[in-house]
Amino acid sequence: MSLPRHIAIIMDGNGRWAKKRLLPRAAGHRAGLKRMISLTEHVFERGIGYCTLFALSAENLARPQEELSAIYELFRAYFTGQIPVLREKGIALRVIGDLSLLPADVAALIEENTKKTEGGTRGNLTVAIGYGGRQDILSACNRAVREGREVTAETFGSMLSTGGMPELDLLIRTGKEKRISNFLLYEAAYAELYFSEKLFPDFTARDLDRAIGEYEQRERRYGKV
Ligand code: FPP
């Protein structure tokens, strides 16, 4: 099979990575962000057009304030410092999820700065923040009901926050757990799943290549024989 067009990563294990080193959880998220930057560079260098990353679920927002503040600080740094880098590389950055769950200044910064990357044609990077797959499905359903529209698999897919993106081919989760945790529920219907034992800050470009290599070996039948 050929290279995936759209891959997604559940970046799990930052907290445990820090705990193993007797560091605060925030240090794990910092290491996670460094890893996220290097992996996304690698994805687009390999010619994969779409990469969707799970940074913060709607449910994660119930974490202790101290940890959330550290994550918000990383969002501020990323959505400021990486914007010129992504623009330069022609990568369009988008965020999916409910930004109203974030502090207003962080939400405003994200909205304003992601716009600066619009029109990038070399790759599409989507970061899920305050995101939940069920919430996304329900809000699309409610929209269809409000508009009195009957939906089909195609029109419904286009109403989700990932609407317009190619089908999800490969979903990777790091950090040992083997579940989807409310990420891209509808989109993952026929995605190949890949679970890595490695904690996210330890998941290297070589590990990513291994996941892609395994994807290329698999045969996708979509329920057919
Ligand atoms: C999951 O690990 C990770 C998170 C909840 C936060 C992810 C954040 C980043 C990678 C950095 C910031 C991202 C951006 C977009 C700037 P966990 O804390 O659940 O780890 P654990 O399961 O080991 O506790």
Side-chain angles (χ1 to χ4, degrees), residues 123-161:
N124 294 274
L125 175 59
T126 303
V127 181
I129 296 177
Y131 173 89
R134 284 183 175 172
Q135 292 88 322
D136 202 34
I137 291 170
L138 292 172
S139 86
C141 286
N142 284 324
R143 213 171 95 209
V145 169
R146 271 200 309 279
E147 294 169 3
R149 277 215 261 164
E150 199 170 314
V151 286
T152 63
E154 287 71 31
T155 58
F156 190 70
S158 73
M159 291 171 76
L160 295 172
S161 59

Side-chain angles (χ1 to χ4, degrees), residues 80-130:
T80 307
Q82 283 297 303
I83 299 296
V85 179
L86 293 169
R87 264 175 68 101
E88 167 86 9
K89 294 195 160 132
I91 309 296
L93 174 64
R94 285 182 49 186
V95 167
I96 55 172
D98 186 355
L99 288 184
S100 75
L101 300 172
L102 301 184
D105 74 295
V106 180
L109 176 81
I110 291 175
E111 271 181 10
E112 215 176 290
N113 283 359
T114 48
K115 277 196 205 116
K116 297 179 186 162
T117 67
E118 271 173 15
T121 53
R122 227 189 104 232
N124 294 274
L125 175 59
T126 303
V127 181
I129 296 177

Side-chain angles (χ1 to χ4, degrees), residues 14-35:
N14 295 345
R16 279 164 286 160
W17 183 92
K19 195 171 174 201
K20 264 172 61 179
R21 290 163 177 76
L22 306 176
L23 293 169
R25 293 178 62 83
H29 295 314
R30 254 196 317 277
L33 176 56
K34 263 178 91 175
R35 182 60 74 190

